[in-house]
Amino acid sequence: MLNIVIFGPPGSGKGTQSARIAKKYDLMHLSTGDMLREEMEKETSLGQKVSEFIDQGLLVPDEIVLKMLYGYMAEHMDSPGFIFDGFPRTIVQAEALDQLLDKHGIPINVVLSVEVEEKELFKRIMGRAEDSGRSDDSVEIAKQRLEVYKRQSLPLIDFYRKQGKIVAINGMEPVDEVFDNISQAIEAVKPV
Ligand code: AMP
């Protein structure tokens, strides 16, 4: 199995790159943001519960995200691997993922940390707002999401650095170049 975590601030291009990685390496794309938005669109009780967090740019509580993610993973354990996109976002989530993967005897092979300057992130989120229809793509909420990222998610870099799994990716480059660099990082850890 090949398991990849793609990590980065909102607007860093994780979603776009994850879709390409999933296609190239035949991995199951697990985006907790997409899963949560789907629940909101379907107006399920879970969707209603999480919308207040998402619309404010806050993280959805760990227990909710973990339960939802475990459900998706359990259905796809026969997949050649996973690309985790937008997950984990807290140390609690990262520890829970390690424990779960340990139980199945499968590792995270690499954590791709996509780095983009803050000014560029805002530009991208605002550009995306025009056609994404996302309720959380506005200036105020973007600022909040970035603050939440720094406070709750950034510590994960240290967490995975200690495990020797972090590879920094320059996300300021054009999409195709970013993808080439990501592919190289994956080839370096891919089991033969
Ligand atoms: P994303 O599409 O990854 O930018 O996620 C959009 C929003 O969904 C985030 O701002 C959070 O409110 C929520 N969300 C997505 N993934 C997680 C996660 N792993 N933990 C907590 N909240 C999440």
Side-chain angles (χ1 to χ4, degrees):
M1 242 186 162
L2 174 64
N3 295 305
I4 299 168
V5 170
I6 186 158
F7 180 82
S12 58
K14 300 188 298 285
T16 307
Q17 296 295 340
S18 298
R20 295 179 74 162
I21 298 167
K23 196 163 167 215
K24 179 167 177 181
Y25 295 98
D26 193 24
L27 305 178
M28 174 78 201
H29 181 189
L30 295 176
S31 158
T32 43
D34 285 350
M35 292 172 197
L36 291 164
R37 276 186 291 278
E38 201 181 310
E39 296 291 335
M40 279 165 59
E41 271 155 34
K42 288 202 227 144
E43 296 182 359
T44 60
S45 60
L46 177 64
Q48 283 164 5
K49 205 173 355 172
V50 299
S51 66
E52 54 186 293
F53 297 99
I54 294 181
D55 289 348
Q56 292 182 69
L58 301 174
L59 292 187
V60 171
D62 291 326
E63 318 80 75
I64 297 181
V65 174
L66 285 168
K67 193 168 158 207
M68 184 181 71
L69 182 91
Y70 287 175
Y72 273 81
M73 282 180 73
E75 276 175 37
H76 296 99
M77 283 313 283
D78 55 346
S79 142
F82 296 107
I83 165 99
F84 297 96
D85 165 16
F87 178 92
R89 259 181 160 97
T90 63
I91 296 283
V92 170
Q93 292 178 14
E95 285 173 346
L97 180 63
D98 273 356
Q99 268 180 23
L100 181 77
L101 292 178
D102 267 358
K103 237 195 282 176
H104 288 91
I106 47 177
I108 291 169
N109 301 81
V110 67
V111 178
L112 305 165
S113 171
V114 185
E115 300 175 349
V116 174
E117 286 167 17
E118 203 162 308
K119 232 169 77 190
E120 174 70 14
L121 293 174
F122 277 109
K123 220 167 86 188
R124 290 189 192 176
I125 294 175
M126 289 307 109
R128 179 170 81 182
E130 302 222 331
D131 40 34
S132 74
R134 279 177 56 158
S135 50
D136 57 352
D137 277 348
S138 71
V139 181
E140 277 317 304
I141 302 303
K143 272 190 197 153
Q144 171 73 323
R145 285 164 63 206
L146 215 55
E147 281 312 306
V148 165
Y149 166 78
K150 286 182 194 162
R151 195 171 60 240
Q152 291 180 271
S153 303
L154 216 47
L156 288 177
I157 297 213
D158 236 26
F159 179 90
Y160 285 122
R161 188 176 286 130
K162 281 184 192 137
Q163 295 188 3
K165 290 187 177 157
I166 283 274
V167 174
I169 300 290
N170 178 2
M172 298 288 287
E173 291 180 350
V175 181
D176 286 343
E177 274 170 49
V178 175
F179 186 60
D180 282 348
N181 291 334
I182 284 179
S183 296
Q184 275 181 31
I186 295 174
E187 297 297 337
V189 297
K190 204 169 116 213
V192 276

